[in-house]
Amino acid sequence: MSKVSYYTPEGLKKLRDELQQLKDVERIKASKAIAEARDKGDLSENAEYDAAKEAQGMLEMRISKLEEALAGARVIDESQLDTSKILVLSKVKIKNQTNGMEVTYTLVADGEADLASGKISVNSPIGKGLLGKSVGDVAEIQVPNGVMKFDIVEISR
């Protein structure tokens, strides 16, 4: 049974495109690499063959994980989301109570998380700590060296 993950339409398309690329292009490359290594002779002492087989195994594992993620993928209808609370796809401005620094994050599914572009996973410690909070609330988030406190400044879509 796969777990349900929520995606934006763009995130789901990206996932499907990656799966298609792996199945249609990378699988063929892996098969050719194995065939070329097999043609070089004795398989018992052929490091190229072993490496090609291992690479194929890793590729098949990635394909399997993507298929599992797609099986539990749901597209979020942003028009139905409540903007008074932090939910998936909420854009949240938070203020660190310790140093006063303000940061804006968008909460997304695991597969769409990209800290460089300000997208954090709802399953990350910060994401979990922010879910369900409203403007004015204080989110207390457990981190390795204690508890960080953030003021919820703004919620938008």
Side-chain angles (χ1 to χ4, degrees), residues 16-72:
R16 285 187 176 130
D17 290 348
E18 182 182 353
L19 180 61
Q20 201 66 41
Q21 169 74 13
L22 292 176
K23 283 183 167 183
D24 294 346
V25 177
E26 300 302 323
R27 259 189 186 159
I28 294 167
K29 285 183 186 176
S31 294
K32 284 181 183 175
I34 290 170
E36 287 173 12
R38 190 181 300 128
D39 290 343
K40 293 186 179 176
D42 184 16
L43 297 181
S44 64
E45 295 180 18
N46 189 334
E48 273 186 61
Y49 178 77
D50 292 339
K53 287 294 282 183
E54 187 173 323
Q56 182 189 39
M58 298 296 284
L59 174 67
E60 291 301 324
M61 186 172 70
R62 178 71 182 141
I63 288 172
S64 176
K65 290 220 182 270
L66 283 173
E67 286 175 336
E68 186 178 324
L70 277 170

